[in-house]
Amino acid sequence: MDDRIYIFDTTLRDGEQVPGCKLNTAQKVTIALALEELGVDVIEAGFPVSSPGDFKSVMEISKVLTRPTICGLSRAVDNDIKVAGEALKFAKKGRIHTGIGTSDQHVKHKLRITREDVIERGVKAVKLARNYVDDVEFYAEDAGRTDNDFLAKVVEEVIKAGATVVNIPDTTGYCLPEEYGAKIAYLINNVPNIDKAIISTHCHNDLGLATANSIAGVRSGARQIECTINGIGERAGNTSLEEVVMIIKKRADIPHKTQVVTERLYAISNLVAETMGMPVQPNKAIVGSNAFAHSSGIHQDGVIKNRLNYEIIDPAEVGVDHSDILLTARSGRAALRFRLSQLGYEMEGEDLNEIYRSFLTLADEILEVRDPELHELYAKWKEGETVNNG
Ligand code: KIV
Ligand code: ZN
């Protein structure tokens, strides 16, 4: 099987569903251009029928971008599909993403129709979408809680109707990784025409498992991951693009590749955080401000001896130009000596012990000791030395 994993970015659609994070068209085009540079394969640019603004954004992004596929969301509703087709008419490569709920919860309590109706509506939507574009993705909303037999039937029928990609969303973020992986494996083994479509993961993070579930899906045969920059999205968010991309890059036991230029991850994370007014938590994997910061004495000593002792990612691989040795009251002599030597002060033995004692007193007071304080500490120590030695 082809070892390529397609990265489907939905920052501008599912990501933008975060309350208070609505973007205008110019902001969306800026982010879309950055996503194109990042090397994602598909950009879900919006939900065209939802508002004139979304329609315009999908159309403008379709005009400006050349390399990735541009995707527009729709429900399995004729007018949604027609409007999505219209919004995508300038796309070099356009995709309509249409679908319907498949879990009993959605079928009985949201749609209030039968399972047969669900299949009929799904098939009709895919066929209609194929009149506008050759590339149609079908989503089985709440597939995470859908019984696998019925899901397999739906998937078989929408592929027959012309779906090129089938999305298996864990809409409520309920699945465990082994369960989600088994669901994808079940489809691969039980849908007779599964080789005619790509299976896609789309995981939400309600239980903090979106990344693990997406990777479990890939290990079972999914070949597209839907995700957002910084993992933003409604409620607890979506699968984080930077996490899945770096897992695939770093783990030798995952024999797949993406086309993402990982050196651009940090910059796009900042762009999205600033444009959406959604700061990244400091301990966020890959792009958080503490992701490459070491503050305990034991870790600092290890990193100074050899970075690989505590770093599995070279910060440069994700576009961070340094890793930080933070000087706090938890730091040891090795870290202090290292930072002083970077500032041009070589200290050893009893001299180092002496300045370390003053450093600890200061660190207890001000929490983090930075370069200006280090210069002052050194100057004071030097002054004391000169007085003592006459
Ligand atoms: O989470 C979900 O089910 C979705 C679909 C609309 C693809 O976002
Ligand atoms: Zn979603």
Side-chain angles (χ1 to χ4, degrees), residues 189-206:
N189 295 325
N190 291 282
V191 175
N193 53 359
I194 199 72
D195 57 314
K196 306 270 184 313
I198 289 174
I199 299 192
S200 182
T201 67
H202 178 114
C203 299
H204 280 265
N205 205 30
D206 299 67

Side-chain angles (χ1 to χ4, degrees), residues 13-14 73 97 139 141 167 169 171 202 204:
R13 199 281 295 171
D14 222 346
L73 185 78
H97 189 190
Y139 64 85
E141 194 178 5
N167 177 11
T171 305
H202 178 114
H204 280 265

Side-chain angles (χ1 to χ4, degrees), residues 29 53 64 80 138 180 243 250 252 268 277 313 316 322 354 362:
V29 170
V64 176
D80 282 31
F138 176 84
Y180 189 75
E243 292 174 13
K250 296 311 291 187
I268 197 164
I313 298 172
H322 64 284
E354 238 177 71
L362 182 64

Side-chain angles (χ1 to χ4, degrees), residues 45-74:
F47 181 10
V49 85
S50 68
S51 73
D54 247 35
F55 180 89
K56 186 167 163 224
S57 297
V58 174
M59 186 170 261
E60 291 308 312
I61 290 170
S62 299
K63 284 184 193 163
V64 176
L65 269 63
T66 54
R67 201 197 53 79
T69 295
I70 308 302
C71 179
L73 185 78
S74 73

